[in-house]
């Protein structure tokens, strides 16, 4: 079944892009989840939608050749900086940044879509992902983002980990929390923009959080959680893409449903392990 | 001979024009075990934040290891176990070894990696607090007392000269509190680490600390435990702002 993905170039692009996203989304998602920032991915993805709508508007009205992928990425990165500012302003209510950014993103999208008098099916692809929408240029861009993400996570792993666990301790020990956090949120914005081609705006946060939610149940320690998250992410992407292609369903839906199945499986495994340990303890 | 590693001179601090600390003058001698006691809102945590450079005093000066705090860079000489350490996210997926490694993050520096020697330091710190058997356990699976030891190991791993503990026994059961004080004595007596412990438990402090400082906006008393126990009821009441009887006890 997977053979078609190597036969045709457009499917090959999608498959390789999917593998890259299956790596970076859960990798960064591990930090997103443990920092209790899961909804930030949702907020940023909605701003990315505004950026995509803006790009499509420019394309339609002014025939500008700027890919909506880049305008989406630009909006997402700008919104990430704005999220940080809002979290600083509302120190006691940091979660307020999420509805502000999310609703702002949706509002801007509606305005751009209305000004353009609607778009063709392109927008549907951006909402739920597509198996056929990935160009070779998109693949290169996403490969570049993957390399950036891997470099940032490798070089700043210990600082990101320390900050995620105990920000006060990190600051006291001399870590520049603001700079590291800013770097983290910008990289998160890039990953969201990159993932949208495959899973779509509405489901991108799921690919960052569901594999982590599954691995956190059964992993021992942070590095193992990251490793298992990537494995679950890749399994979800491969099964989801193949199923999406054969059943002619946007892959965002099939990828997320596969992730949910893996999550349920991990909950079951954890429960079985727990019951066995309890029985052993009673004996 | 006087050998202070912390010196505060005429230090004052106010949050939004509400005076929290006024004219604080005191020293922490190398090798001492100082118990800082005082009522809630008396400025104990603020004083620690000033020492850690998290707040800047509006008046006065602070010296750490003989260097003015503005120029002090060697933060690895100071280990800190925060009041909030026990309120961490218990579902956080981190092993004991990973948590203790965080104490080396700043020391190792940006864009550098842990090596074998750092791993040995981590194992040594975990062994110092008697938790070697739990090195690869998830921190969330340990008891409150065990977690407390791990946070001390995290503070010890960078080999500090001064260890600051902010109300570390809150939420820890009596048996573990006793073990905790035994551990502090070991660190103080055998490893020569200077200790600054913030606590409400003045009765216990009289048995464990070498010095006691009483803080309620200003420094009301700084001396040894026997001098403290000789304070009159009027002195203590003036310090706490209400009637008080000190019950001296061992844990």
């Amino acid at each position: 079944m997977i053979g078609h993905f190597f036969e045709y170039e457009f499917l090959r692009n999608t498959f390789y892009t999917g593998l890259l996203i299956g790596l970076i989304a859960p990798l960064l998602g591990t930090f997103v989840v443990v920092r209790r920032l899961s909804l930030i991915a949702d907020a940023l993805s909605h701003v990315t939608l505004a950026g995509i709508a803006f790009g499509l508007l420019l394309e339609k009205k002014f025939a500008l050749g700027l890919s909506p992928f880049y305008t989406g990425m630009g909006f997402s990165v700008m919104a990430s900086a704005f999220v940080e500012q809002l979290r600083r302003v509302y120190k006691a209510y940091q979660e307020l940044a999420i509805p502000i950014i999310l609703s702002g993103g949706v509002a801007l999208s509606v305005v751009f879509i209305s000004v353009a008098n609607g778009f063709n099916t392109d927008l549907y692809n951006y909402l739920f992902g597509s198996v056929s929408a990935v160009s070779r240029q998109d693949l290169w861009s996403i490969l570049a983002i993957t390399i950036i993400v891997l470099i940032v996570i490798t070089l700043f792993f210990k600082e990101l980990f320390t900050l995620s666990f105990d920000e006060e301790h990190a600051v006291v020990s001399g870590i520049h929390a603001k700079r590291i956090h800013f770097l983290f949120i910008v990289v998160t914005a890039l990953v969201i923009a990159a993932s949208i081609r495959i899973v779509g705006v509405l489901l991108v946060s799921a690919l960052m959080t569901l594999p982590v939610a599954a691995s956190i149940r059964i992993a021992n320690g942070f590095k193992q959680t990251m490793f298992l998250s990537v494995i679950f992410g890749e399994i979800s992407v491969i099964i989801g893409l193949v199923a999406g292609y054969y059943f002619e369903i946007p892959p965002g839906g099939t990828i997320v449903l596969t992730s949910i199945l893996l999550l349920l499986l991990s909950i079951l495994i954890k429960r079985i392990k727990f019951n066995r340990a309890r029985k052993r303890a009673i004996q | 001979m006087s050998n202070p590693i912390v010196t505060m001179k005429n230090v004052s601090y106010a949050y939004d024009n509400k005076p929290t600390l006024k004219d604080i003058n005191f020293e922490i001698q190398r090798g001492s075990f100082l118990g800082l006691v005082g009522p809630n809102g008396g400025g104990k945590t603020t004083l620690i934040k000033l020492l850690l450079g998290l707040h800047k005093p509006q008046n006065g000066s602070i010296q750490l290891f003989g260097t003015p705090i503005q120029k002090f860079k060697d933060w690895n000489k100071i280990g800190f176990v925060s009041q909030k350490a026990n309120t961490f996210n218990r579902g956080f997926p981190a092993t004991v070894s990973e948590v203790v490694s965080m104490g080396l993050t700043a020391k190792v520096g940006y864009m550098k990696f842990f090596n074998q020697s750092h791993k040995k330091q981590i194992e040594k710190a975990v062994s110092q607090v008697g938790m070697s058997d739990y090195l690869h356990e998830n921190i969330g699976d340990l008891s409150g007392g065990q977690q407390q030891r791990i946070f001390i190991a995290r503070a010890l791993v960078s080999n500090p000269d001064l260890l600051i503990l902010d109300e570390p026994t809150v939420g820890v059961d009596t048996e573990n509190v006793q073990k905790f004080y035994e551990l502090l004595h070991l660190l103080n007596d055998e490893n020569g680490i200077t200790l600054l412990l913030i606590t409400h438990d003045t009765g216990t402090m009289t048995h464990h600390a070498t010095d006691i400082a009483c803080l309620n906006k200003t420094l009301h008393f700084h001396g040894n435990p026997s001098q403290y126990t000789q304070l009159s009821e009027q002195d203590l009441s003036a310090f706490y702002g209400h009637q008080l009887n000190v019950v001296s006890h061992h844990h």
Side-chain angles (χ1 to χ4, degrees), chain A residues 77-90:
Chain A
V77 170
M78 281 191 292
S80 68
F82 193 45
V83 164
E84 276 311 280
Q85 283 302 322
L86 283 173
R87 281 163 61 84
R88 247 171 254 161
V89 172
Y90 292 104

PDB file of all heavy atoms in Angstrom, chain A residues 77-90:
ATOM      1  N   VAL A  77       5.183  33.440  13.549  1.00  0.00           N
ATOM      2  CA  VAL A  77       6.355  33.889  14.318  1.00  0.00           C
ATOM      3  C   VAL A  77       6.050  35.223  15.010  1.00  0.00           C
ATOM      4  O   VAL A  77       6.379  35.416  16.190  1.00  0.00           O
ATOM      5  CB  VAL A  77       7.609  33.990  13.404  1.00  0.00           C
ATOM      6  CG1 VAL A  77       8.757  34.679  14.123  1.00  0.00           C
ATOM      7  CG2 VAL A  77       8.028  32.604  12.942  1.00  0.00           C
ATOM      8  N   MET A  78       5.373  36.141  14.284  1.00  0.00           N
ATOM      9  CA  MET A  78       5.031  37.431  14.899  1.00  0.00           C
ATOM     10  C   MET A  78       4.088  37.222  16.094  1.00  0.00           C
ATOM     11  O   MET A  78       4.236  37.839  17.146  1.00  0.00           O
ATOM     12  CB  MET A  78       4.363  38.346  13.869  1.00  0.00           C
ATOM     13  CG  MET A  78       5.367  39.008  12.941  1.00  0.00           C
ATOM     14  SD  MET A  78       4.634  40.311  11.956  1.00  0.00           S
ATOM     15  CE  MET A  78       3.538  39.439  10.884  1.00  0.00           C
ATOM     16  N   ALA A  79       3.128  36.300  15.908  1.00  0.00           N
ATOM     17  CA  ALA A  79       2.183  36.030  17.002  1.00  0.00           C
ATOM     18  C   ALA A  79       2.908  35.438  18.206  1.00  0.00           C
ATOM     19  O   ALA A  79       2.561  35.726  19.351  1.00  0.00           O
ATOM     20  CB  ALA A  79       1.098  35.076  16.523  1.00  0.00           C
ATOM     21  N   SER A  80       3.944  34.612  17.956  1.00  0.00           N
ATOM     22  CA  SER A  80       4.667  33.995  19.078  1.00  0.00           C
ATOM     23  C   SER A  80       5.337  35.072  19.928  1.00  0.00           C
ATOM     24  O   SER A  80       5.364  34.990  21.152  1.00  0.00           O
ATOM     25  CB  SER A  80       5.678  32.969  18.569  1.00  0.00           C
ATOM     26  OG  SER A  80       6.714  33.617  17.868  1.00  0.00           O
ATOM     27  N   ALA A  81       5.870  36.108  19.261  1.00  0.00           N
ATOM     28  CA  ALA A  81       6.495  37.215  20.004  1.00  0.00           C
ATOM     29  C   ALA A  81       5.421  37.953  20.812  1.00  0.00           C
ATOM     30  O   ALA A  81       5.646  38.352  21.965  1.00  0.00           O
ATOM     31  CB  ALA A  81       7.191  38.167  19.042  1.00  0.00           C
ATOM     32  N   PHE A  82       4.252  38.108  20.214  1.00  0.00           N
ATOM     33  CA  PHE A  82       3.153  38.809  20.865  1.00  0.00           C
ATOM     34  C   PHE A  82       2.647  38.009  22.079  1.00  0.00           C
ATOM     35  O   PHE A  82       2.314  38.577  23.123  1.00  0.00           O
ATOM     36  CB  PHE A  82       2.035  39.035  19.846  1.00  0.00           C
ATOM     37  CG  PHE A  82       0.990  40.010  20.304  1.00  0.00           C
ATOM     38  CD1 PHE A  82       1.343  41.213  20.897  1.00  0.00           C
ATOM     39  CD2 PHE A  82      -0.355  39.734  20.135  1.00  0.00           C
ATOM     40  CE1 PHE A  82       0.381  42.104  21.322  1.00  0.00           C
ATOM     41  CE2 PHE A  82      -1.334  40.618  20.557  1.00  0.00           C
ATOM     42  CZ  PHE A  82      -0.959  41.809  21.155  1.00  0.00           C
ATOM     43  N   VAL A  83       2.614  36.677  21.942  1.00  0.00           N
ATOM     44  CA  VAL A  83       2.198  35.817  23.059  1.00  0.00           C
ATOM     45  C   VAL A  83       3.105  36.070  24.261  1.00  0.00           C
ATOM     46  O   VAL A  83       2.647  36.230  25.394  1.00  0.00           O
ATOM     47  CB  VAL A  83       2.278  34.314  22.660  1.00  0.00           C
ATOM     48  CG1 VAL A  83       2.240  33.415  23.885  1.00  0.00           C
ATOM     49  CG2 VAL A  83       1.146  33.938  21.721  1.00  0.00           C
ATOM     50  N   GLU A  84       4.409  36.149  23.997  1.00  0.00           N
ATOM     51  CA  GLU A  84       5.365  36.370  25.084  1.00  0.00           C
ATOM     52  C   GLU A  84       5.115  37.703  25.782  1.00  0.00           C
ATOM     53  O   GLU A  84       5.161  37.801  27.003  1.00  0.00           O
ATOM     54  CB  GLU A  84       6.797  36.339  24.532  1.00  0.00           C
ATOM     55  CG  GLU A  84       7.358  34.954  24.422  1.00  0.00           C
ATOM     56  CD  GLU A  84       7.170  34.164  25.695  1.00  0.00           C
ATOM     57  OE1 GLU A  84       7.953  34.349  26.628  1.00  0.00           O
ATOM     58  OE2 GLU A  84       6.202  33.378  25.766  1.00  0.00           O
ATOM     59  N   GLN A  85       4.830  38.744  24.966  1.00  0.00           N
ATOM     60  CA  GLN A  85       4.540  40.059  25.545  1.00  0.00           C
ATOM     61  C   GLN A  85       3.295  39.982  26.431  1.00  0.00           C
ATOM     62  O   GLN A  85       3.281  40.495  27.546  1.00  0.00           O
ATOM     63  CB  GLN A  85       4.302  41.094  24.429  1.00  0.00           C
ATOM     64  CG  GLN A  85       5.577  41.583  23.762  1.00  0.00           C
ATOM     65  CD  GLN A  85       6.530  42.213  24.763  1.00  0.00           C
ATOM     66  OE1 GLN A  85       6.122  42.901  25.684  1.00  0.00           O
ATOM     67  NE2 GLN A  85       7.822  41.938  24.621  1.00  0.00           N
ATOM     68  N   LEU A  86       2.249  39.328  25.916  1.00  0.00           N
ATOM     69  CA  LEU A  86       0.991  39.230  26.677  1.00  0.00           C
ATOM     70  C   LEU A  86       1.201  38.467  27.982  1.00  0.00           C
ATOM     71  O   LEU A  86       0.649  38.820  29.024  1.00  0.00           O
ATOM     72  CB  LEU A  86      -0.076  38.521  25.834  1.00  0.00           C
ATOM     73  CG  LEU A  86      -0.732  39.353  24.744  1.00  0.00           C
ATOM     74  CD1 LEU A  86      -1.648  38.485  23.887  1.00  0.00           C
ATOM     75  CD2 LEU A  86      -1.548  40.500  25.343  1.00  0.00           C
ATOM     76  N   ARG A  87       2.001  37.404  27.922  1.00  0.00           N
ATOM     77  CA  ARG A  87       2.247  36.610  29.135  1.00  0.00           C
ATOM     78  C   ARG A  87       3.005  37.432  30.174  1.00  0.00           C
ATOM     79  O   ARG A  87       2.869  37.214  31.365  1.00  0.00           O
ATOM     80  CB  ARG A  87       3.022  35.333  28.783  1.00  0.00           C
ATOM     81  CG  ARG A  87       2.115  34.252  28.191  1.00  0.00           C
ATOM     82  CD  ARG A  87       2.900  33.190  27.487  1.00  0.00           C
ATOM     83  NE  ARG A  87       3.824  32.492  28.341  1.00  0.00           N
ATOM     84  CZ  ARG A  87       3.497  31.453  29.118  1.00  0.00           C
ATOM     85  NH1 ARG A  87       2.263  31.012  29.114  1.00  0.00           N
ATOM     86  NH2 ARG A  87       4.387  30.873  29.858  1.00  0.00           N
ATOM     87  N   ARG A  88       3.808  38.384  29.703  1.00  0.00           N
ATOM     88  CA  ARG A  88       4.531  39.242  30.632  1.00  0.00           C
ATOM     89  C   ARG A  88       3.583  40.280  31.242  1.00  0.00           C
ATOM     90  O   ARG A  88       3.643  40.595  32.416  1.00  0.00           O
ATOM     91  CB  ARG A  88       5.676  39.953  29.898  1.00  0.00           C
ATOM     92  CG  ARG A  88       7.030  39.476  30.383  1.00  0.00           C
ATOM     93  CD  ARG A  88       8.121  40.018  29.511  1.00  0.00           C
ATOM     94  NE  ARG A  88       8.652  38.969  28.652  1.00  0.00           N
ATOM     95  CZ  ARG A  88       9.345  39.177  27.562  1.00  0.00           C
ATOM     96  NH1 ARG A  88       9.585  40.391  27.152  1.00  0.00           N
ATOM     97  NH2 ARG A  88       9.807  38.163  26.874  1.00  0.00           N
ATOM     98  N   VAL A  89       2.679  40.813  30.402  1.00  0.00           N
ATOM     99  CA  VAL A  89       1.731  41.836  30.883  1.00  0.00           C
ATOM    100  C   VAL A  89       0.767  41.219  31.898  1.00  0.00           C
ATOM    101  O   VAL A  89       0.507  41.786  32.947  1.00  0.00           O
ATOM    102  CB  VAL A  89       0.954  42.449  29.686  1.00  0.00           C
ATOM    103  CG1 VAL A  89      -0.167  43.353  30.174  1.00  0.00           C
ATOM    104  CG2 VAL A  89       1.905  43.230  28.789  1.00  0.00           C
ATOM    105  N   TYR A  90       0.233  40.011  31.558  1.00  0.00           N
ATOM    106  CA  TYR A  90      -0.720  39.339  32.459  1.00  0.00           C
ATOM    107  C   TYR A  90      -0.016  38.220  33.214  1.00  0.00           C
ATOM    108  O   TYR A  90      -0.283  37.043  32.980  1.00  0.00           O
ATOM    109  CB  TYR A  90      -1.886  38.755  31.657  1.00  0.00           C
ATOM    110  CG  TYR A  90      -2.771  39.798  31.038  1.00  0.00           C
ATOM    111  CD1 TYR A  90      -2.693  40.083  29.689  1.00  0.00           C
ATOM    112  CD2 TYR A  90      -3.684  40.512  31.808  1.00  0.00           C
ATOM    113  CE1 TYR A  90      -3.496  41.049  29.106  1.00  0.00           C
ATOM    114  CE2 TYR A  90      -4.493  41.476  31.239  1.00  0.00           C
ATOM    115  CZ  TYR A  90      -4.396  41.739  29.890  1.00  0.00           C
ATOM    116  OH  TYR A  90      -5.200  42.699  29.335  1.00  0.00           O
TER     117      TYR A  90
END
